[in-house]
Amino acid sequence: MAEVVGVPGSSVEVAGAYACSECGHRIELRAGDTFPPAHHPEKPWMLMVAS
């Protein structure tokens, strides 16, 4: 699978555990959710484990 990243405010296409690409903070998101604001400006959320 190619790397999946999420931009704050965009729709989640692949459900799973995402981590901040800066600090590693993890969140669980479902398909159709909206990515929350990044707590590290201009750092995307990265999919770690798809569900």
Coordinates of all heavy atoms in Angstrom, one line a residue:
M1 N 0.8 -1.2 0.0 CA 0.0 0.0 0.0 C 0.9 1.2 0.0 O 1.9 1.3 0.7 CB -0.9 0.0 1.2 CG -1.8 1.2 1.4 SD -2.7 1.2 2.9 CE -4.3 1.0 2.2
A2 N 0.5 2.2 -0.8 CA 1.3 3.5 -0.8 C 1.0 4.2 0.5 O 0.0 4.0 1.2 CB 0.8 4.3 -2.0
E3 N 1.9 5.2 0.8 CA 1.8 6.0 2.0 C 0.5 6.8 1.9 O 0.2 7.4 0.9 CB 3.0 6.9 2.1 CG 2.9 7.8 3.4 CD 4.2 8.6 3.5 OE1 4.4 9.5 2.7 OE2 4.9 8.3 4.5
V4 N -0.3 6.8 3.0 CA -1.5 7.5 3.0 C -1.4 8.7 4.0 O -1.0 8.4 5.2 CB -2.7 6.6 3.4 CG1 -4.0 7.5 3.6 CG2 -2.9 5.5 2.4
V5 N -1.6 9.9 3.6 CA -1.5 11.1 4.4 C -2.8 11.8 4.4 O -3.5 11.8 3.5 CB -0.3 12.0 4.1 CG1 1.0 11.3 4.2 CG2 -0.5 12.5 2.7
G6 N -3.1 12.5 5.5 CA -4.3 13.3 5.6 C -4.0 14.8 5.9 O -3.1 15.0 6.8
V7 N -4.6 15.6 5.2 CA -4.5 17.1 5.4 C -5.6 17.6 6.3 O -6.8 17.2 6.1 CB -4.5 17.8 4.1 CG1 -4.4 19.3 4.2 CG2 -3.4 17.3 3.2
P8 N -5.3 18.3 7.3 CA -6.4 18.9 8.2 C -7.5 19.5 7.4 O -7.3 20.2 6.4 CB -5.7 19.9 9.1 CG -4.3 19.4 9.1 CD -4.0 18.8 7.8
G9 N -8.8 19.1 7.8 CA -9.9 19.6 7.1 C -10.4 18.8 5.9 O -11.5 19.0 5.4
S10 N -9.6 17.9 5.4 CA -10.0 17.0 4.3 C -10.7 15.8 4.8 O -10.6 15.4 6.0 CB -8.8 16.6 3.4 OG -7.9 15.8 4.2
S11 N -11.4 15.1 4.0 CA -12.2 13.9 4.3 C -11.2 12.6 4.4 O -10.3 12.5 3.5 CB -13.3 13.6 3.3 OG -14.0 12.5 3.6
V12 N -11.5 11.8 5.4 CA -10.7 10.5 5.5 C -11.2 9.5 4.5 O -12.4 9.2 4.5 CB -10.9 10.0 7.0 CG1 -10.2 8.7 7.1 CG2 -10.4 11.0 8.0
E13 N -10.4 9.0 3.7 CA -10.7 8.0 2.7 C -10.4 6.6 3.2 O -11.1 5.6 2.9 CB -10.0 8.2 1.4 CG -10.5 9.5 0.7 CD -9.8 9.7 -0.6 OE1 -9.3 8.7 -1.2 OE2 -9.9 10.8 -1.1
V14 N -9.4 6.4 4.0 CA -9.0 5.1 4.5 C -9.1 5.1 6.1 O -8.4 5.9 6.7 CB -7.6 4.7 4.1 CG1 -7.2 3.4 4.7 CG2 -7.4 4.7 2.6
A15 N -10.0 4.3 6.6 CA -10.1 4.3 8.1 C -8.9 3.6 8.8 O -8.3 2.8 8.2 CB -11.4 3.5 8.5
G16 N -8.6 4.1 10.0 CA -7.5 3.5 10.7 C -6.9 4.4 11.7 O -7.4 5.4 12.1
A17 N -5.7 4.0 12.2 CA -4.9 4.8 13.2 C -4.0 5.7 12.4 O -3.2 5.2 11.6 CB -4.2 3.8 14.1
Y18 N -4.1 6.9 12.7 CA -3.2 7.9 12.0 C -2.3 8.5 13.1 O -2.7 8.7 14.2 CB -4.1 9.1 11.4 CG -4.7 8.6 10.1 CD1 -5.9 7.9 10.1 CD2 -4.1 9.0 8.9 CE1 -6.5 7.5 8.9 CE2 -4.7 8.6 7.7 CZ -5.9 7.9 7.7 OH -6.5 7.5 6.5
A19 N -1.1 8.9 12.7 CA -0.2 9.6 13.6 C 0.3 10.9 13.0 O 0.4 11.0 11.8 CB 1.1 8.7 13.8
C20 N 0.6 11.8 13.9 CA 1.1 13.1 13.5 C 2.5 12.8 12.9 O 3.3 12.1 13.6 CB 1.2 14.0 14.7 SG 2.1 15.6 14.4
S21 N 2.8 13.4 11.8 CA 4.1 13.1 11.2 C 5.3 13.8 11.9 O 6.4 13.6 11.6 CB 4.1 13.5 9.7 OG 3.9 14.9 9.5
E22 N 5.0 14.7 12.8 CA 6.0 15.4 13.6 C 6.3 14.7 14.9 O 7.4 14.4 15.2 CB 5.5 16.9 13.9 CG 6.5 17.7 14.7 CD 7.8 18.0 14.0 OE1 7.9 18.0 12.8 OE2 8.7 18.4 14.7
C23 N 5.2 14.4 15.7 CA 5.5 13.9 17.1 C 5.0 12.5 17.3 O 5.3 11.9 18.3 CB 4.9 14.8 18.1 SG 3.0 14.8 18.1
G24 N 4.2 11.9 16.3 CA 3.8 10.6 16.5 C 2.5 10.4 17.3 O 2.0 9.3 17.4
H25 N 1.8 11.5 17.7 CA 0.5 11.4 18.4 C -0.5 10.7 17.5 O -0.6 11.0 16.4 CB 0.0 12.8 18.7 CG -1.4 12.8 19.3 ND1 -1.6 12.5 20.6 CD2 -2.6 13.1 18.7 CE1 -2.9 12.6 20.8 NE2 -3.5 13.0 19.7
R26 N -1.1 9.7 18.1 CA -2.1 8.8 17.3 C -3.5 9.1 17.6 O -3.9 9.4 18.7 CB -1.8 7.3 17.5 CG -0.5 6.9 16.9 CD -0.4 5.4 16.9 NE 0.8 5.0 16.3 CZ 0.9 3.8 15.7 NH1 -0.1 2.9 15.6 NH2 2.1 3.5 15.1
I27 N -4.3 9.0 16.5 CA -5.8 9.1 16.6 C -6.4 8.1 15.7 O -5.8 7.6 14.8 CB -6.2 10.5 16.1 CG1 -5.8 10.8 14.7 CG2 -5.8 11.6 17.1 CD1 -6.3 12.1 14.1
E28 N -7.6 7.7 16.1 CA -8.4 6.7 15.2 C -9.4 7.5 14.4 O -10.2 8.3 15.0 CB -9.1 5.7 16.1 CG -8.2 4.7 16.8 CD -7.7 3.6 15.8 OE1 -8.5 3.3 14.9 OE2 -6.6 3.1 16.1
L29 N -9.5 7.2 13.1 CA -10.5 7.9 12.3 C -11.2 6.9 11.4 O -10.6 5.9 11.0 CB -9.8 8.9 11.4 CG -9.1 10.1 12.1 CD1 -8.2 10.9 11.1 CD2 -10.1 11.0 12.7
R30 N -12.5 7.2 11.1 CA -13.3 6.3 10.3 C -13.4 7.0 8.9 O -13.3 8.2 8.8 CB -14.7 6.2 10.8 CG -14.7 5.5 12.2 CD -16.1 5.4 12.7 NE -16.5 6.8 12.9 CZ -17.5 7.2 13.6 NH1 -18.2 6.4 14.3 NH2 -17.8 8.5 13.7
A31 N -13.6 6.2 7.9 CA -13.8 6.7 6.5 C -15.0 7.7 6.6 O -16.0 7.4 7.2 CB -14.1 5.6 5.5
G32 N -14.8 8.8 6.0 CA -15.9 9.9 6.0 C -15.7 10.9 7.0 O -16.3 12.0 7.0
D33 N -14.9 10.6 8.1 CA -14.6 11.6 9.1 C -13.8 12.7 8.4 O -13.2 12.6 7.3 CB -13.7 11.0 10.2 CG -14.5 10.2 11.2 OD1 -15.7 10.1 11.1 OD2 -13.8 9.5 12.0
T34 N -13.6 13.8 9.1 CA -12.8 15.0 8.7 C -11.5 15.0 9.5 O -11.6 14.8 10.8 CB -13.5 16.3 8.8 OG1 -14.7 16.2 8.0 CG2 -12.6 17.5 8.4
F35 N -10.3 15.1 8.9 CA -9.1 15.2 9.6 C -9.1 16.4 10.5 O -9.5 17.5 10.1 CB -7.9 15.3 8.7 CG -7.5 13.9 8.1 CD1 -7.9 13.6 6.8 CD2 -6.8 13.0 8.8 CE1 -7.6 12.4 6.2 CE2 -6.5 11.8 8.3 CZ -6.9 11.5 6.9
P36 N -8.7 16.2 11.8 CA -8.7 17.4 12.7 C -7.6 18.3 12.4 O -6.6 17.9 11.7 CB -8.5 16.7 14.1 CG -7.8 15.5 13.8 CD -8.3 15.0 12.5
P37 N -7.6 19.5 13.0 CA -6.5 20.4 12.8 C -5.2 19.8 13.3 O -5.2 19.1 14.2 CB -6.8 21.6 13.7 CG -8.3 21.5 13.9 CD -8.6 20.1 13.8
A38 N -4.1 20.1 12.5 CA -2.8 19.5 13.0 C -2.3 20.4 14.1 O -2.5 21.6 14.2 CB -1.8 19.6 11.8
H39 N -1.7 19.7 15.1 CA -1.2 20.5 16.2 C 0.3 20.9 16.0 O 0.9 21.5 16.8 CB -1.4 19.7 17.6 CG -0.9 18.3 17.6 ND1 -1.7 17.3 17.2 CD2 0.3 17.8 17.9 CE1 -1.0 16.1 17.3 NE2 0.2 16.4 17.7
H40 N 0.8 20.5 14.8 CA 2.1 20.9 14.3 C 1.9 21.5 12.9 O 1.6 20.7 12.0 CB 3.1 19.8 14.3 CG 3.5 19.2 15.6 ND1 4.3 19.9 16.5 CD2 3.1 18.1 16.3 CE1 4.4 19.2 17.6 NE2 3.7 18.2 17.5
P41 N 1.9 22.8 12.8 CA 1.5 23.4 11.5 C 2.3 22.8 10.3 O 3.5 22.5 10.4 CB 2.0 24.9 11.7 CG 1.8 25.1 13.2 CD 2.3 23.8 13.8
E42 N 1.5 22.6 9.3 CA 2.0 22.0 8.0 C 2.6 20.6 8.1 O 3.3 20.2 7.2 CB 3.0 23.0 7.4 CG 2.4 24.4 7.1 CD 3.3 25.3 6.4 OE1 4.2 24.8 5.6 OE2 3.1 26.5 6.5
K43 N 2.2 19.9 9.1 CA 2.6 18.5 9.2 C 1.4 17.6 9.0 O 0.4 17.8 9.8 CB 3.3 18.2 10.6 CG 4.5 19.0 10.8 CD 5.6 18.6 9.9 CE 6.9 19.3 10.2 NZ 8.0 19.0 9.3
P44 N 1.3 16.7 8.1 CA 0.1 15.9 7.8 C 0.0 14.7 8.8 O 0.9 14.4 9.5 CB 0.3 15.4 6.4 CG 1.8 15.2 6.3 CD 2.4 16.4 7.1
W45 N -1.2 14.2 8.8 CA -1.5 12.9 9.6 C -1.1 11.8 8.6 O -1.3 11.8 7.4 CB -2.9 12.8 9.9 CG -3.4 13.8 10.9 CD1 -4.1 15.0 10.6 CD2 -3.3 13.8 12.3 NE1 -4.4 15.7 11.7 CE2 -3.9 15.0 12.8 CE3 -2.6 13.0 13.2 CZ2 -3.9 15.3 14.1 CZ3 -2.6 13.3 14.5 CH2 -3.3 14.5 15.0
M46 N -0.4 10.8 9.2 CA 0.0 9.6 8.4 C -0.7 8.4 8.8 O -0.8 8.1 10.0 CB 1.5 9.4 8.5 CG 2.3 10.6 7.9 SD 4.1 10.5 8.1 CE 4.5 8.8 8.1
L47 N -1.2 7.6 7.9 CA -1.9 6.3 8.3 C -0.8 5.3 8.8 O 0.2 5.1 8.1 CB -2.6 5.7 7.0 CG -3.3 4.4 7.3 CD1 -4.4 4.6 8.3 CD2 -3.8 3.8 6.0
M48 N -1.0 4.8 9.9 CA -0.1 3.8 10.5 C -0.7 2.4 10.4 O 0.1 1.5 10.0 CB 0.2 4.1 12.0 CG 0.7 5.5 12.2 SD 2.1 6.0 11.2 CE 3.4 5.0 12.0
V49 N -2.0 2.2 10.7 CA -2.6 0.9 10.6 C -4.0 1.1 10.1 O -4.8 1.8 10.7 CB -2.7 0.2 12.0 CG1 -3.4 -1.1 11.9 CG2 -1.3 0.1 12.6
A50 N -4.3 0.5 8.9 CA -5.6 0.6 8.3 C -6.6 -0.4 9.1 O -6.1 -1.4 9.6 CB -5.6 0.2 6.8
S51 N -7.8 0.0 9.2 CA -8.8 -0.9 9.8 C -9.9 -1.3 8.9 O -10.0 -0.8 7.8 CB -9.4 -0.2 11.1 OG -10.0 1.0 10.8

